[in-house]
Amino acid sequence: MVNFLDLKSINAALRSELIEACTRVIDSGWYISGREVAAFEAEFAAYCGVKHCIGVANGLDALTLTIRAWKVLGRFKQGDEVIVPANTYIASILSITENGLVPVLVEPDDTTFNLCPTKLEGALTDRTRLILPVHLYGQICDMPAINEFAQKYGLLVLEDSAQAHGASVKGKKTGSWGSASAFSFYPGKNLGALGDAGAVTTDDDELAETIRALGNYGSKSKYNNIYKGVNSRLDELQAAMLRVKLGHLEKDTSVRRSIAAAYMAGIENQALKLPLEKSIDATSFLEHVWHLFVVRCQNRTAFQDHLRAKGVETLIHYPIPPHKQKAYAEWDELNFDITERMHAEVISLPIGPTMSMDDVSVVIDACNSFNGATVE
């Protein structure tokens, strides 16, 4: 069986380094907001090319606390609007509604899965304050075009970089394109902890200070609470694990890119629609990190059953779009044809830094042997 993602083997390859890091934390006697967190924040900020990294408990908190901080700082008020792709994972939407803002859903580019800059104008109103582009599946958005639009209309940009650690355009990484960026370090991410963890990156000093306070019970100094905050902090153990994995991220990304290239070159089945690698001008490409390698198939169930019979594990990210979830029943009458078609067709093939090229060949052969209709 070719596993979809073998976290056990990924962590086994780093076992000695992870144990050493864990031991360092245990022996320190300091387990919250200590040296490991401070060191990881500095290292990840440097990796992304920004001034600040603020560790938080998870990726959803990274989004939610950033938007809340802007409200505290007077940049948003109740009922302001946020442009967000309709096909994102629900966390992007939850962070908006949790803060009393209004998500304005926009159809994605049908070929890239990402927010389409040419569709922003149609979503703009006099209440628009923020654009929330999502680098879905580790495929970076056209950030130069999105930023140009945001600057034209005086809008903030919050990158949802939960799946795109290290993706870049023109040498500039995710985490540094927006006014701020939210990251998840869920174990299955390209940079994954051994539990939940997240972070916000930004160059904005005031925003960084406010997010840090909001995530620390609303306190900038102990027992002095200036906001009605929450407890959302990156802990020492997870920070130590992430420091180990950050040192291997570029190598792991290179492996993912090699697998993606092999899939792109080797999968020839016309029943499958492969992801599109796109340039934004004659010299600049969107440099993806392939958190997921997602293809589209109109007969998805039969295709998934076929791959399972061939010994290939797959997953579906995601079967139900946000506007069709019970949590947002008020949107049930909305129709987003491109989004709904995507969610009905997408299926994720195995990809990960410990996959062998033999496994990749098995996946390619299984894809090419699918006849588009029947299960073997």
Side-chain angles (χ1 to χ4, degrees), residues 21 53 60 71 91 99 101 103 107 131 155 173 176 188 218 232 236 241 255 276 313-314 326-327 337 345 348 373:
C53 169
L60 175 56
K71 283 188 74 177
N99 281 291
L101 275 62
E107 290 274 47
I131 304 174
L155 307 177
K173 288 185 172 67
S176 64
S232 181
E236 284 287 281
M241 303 297 105
V255 174
L276 178 69
E313 183 182 23
T314 59
K326 289 183 180 179
D337 292 341
E345 295 177 356
S348 303

Side-chain angles (χ1 to χ4, degrees), residues 193-207:
L194 299 188
D196 266 327
V200 179
T201 57
T202 184
D203 282 324
D204 186 327
D205 298 343
E206 188 177 31
L207 178 66

Side-chain angles (χ1 to χ4, degrees), residues 196-270:
D196 266 327
V200 179
T201 57
T202 184
D203 282 324
D204 186 327
D205 298 343
E206 188 177 31
L207 178 66
E209 182 181 45
T210 306
I211 293 170
R212 195 176 294 281
L214 286 170
N216 187 38
Y217 299 95
S219 174
K220 294 182 181 180
S221 59
K222 197 168 185 178
Y223 304 132
N224 182 15
N225 303 85
I226 57 177
Y227 309 120
K228 296 174 184 176
V230 298
N231 177 15
S232 181
R233 298 175 298 201
L234 177 63
D235 72 58
E236 284 287 281
L237 274 172
Q238 298 304 339
M241 303 297 105
L242 288 167
R243 291 185 70 197
V244 170
K245 293 194 169 188
L246 181 58
H248 297 269
L249 181 56
E250 287 297 300
K251 172 177 61 68
D252 289 350
T253 297
S254 178
V255 174
R256 287 178 179 274
R257 285 173 172 160
S258 295
I259 295 170
Y263 283 159
M264 298 287 271
I267 297 174
E268 299 176 340
N269 195 326
Q270 296 302 303

Side-chain angles (χ1 to χ4, degrees), residues 286-305:
L286 302 174
E287 297 176 16
H288 305 318
V289 292
W290 303 107
H291 170 59
L292 301 171
F293 190 92
V294 178
V295 301
R296 294 171 64 177
C297 182
Q298 292 184 2
N299 198 353
R300 181 173 68 188
T301 299
F303 178 56
Q304 189 169 39
D305 288 345

Side-chain angles (χ1 to χ4, degrees), residues 80-92:
D80 281 344
E81 294 178 352
V82 180
I83 296 174
V84 62
N87 65 318
T88 185
Y89 181 57
I90 198 169
S92 310

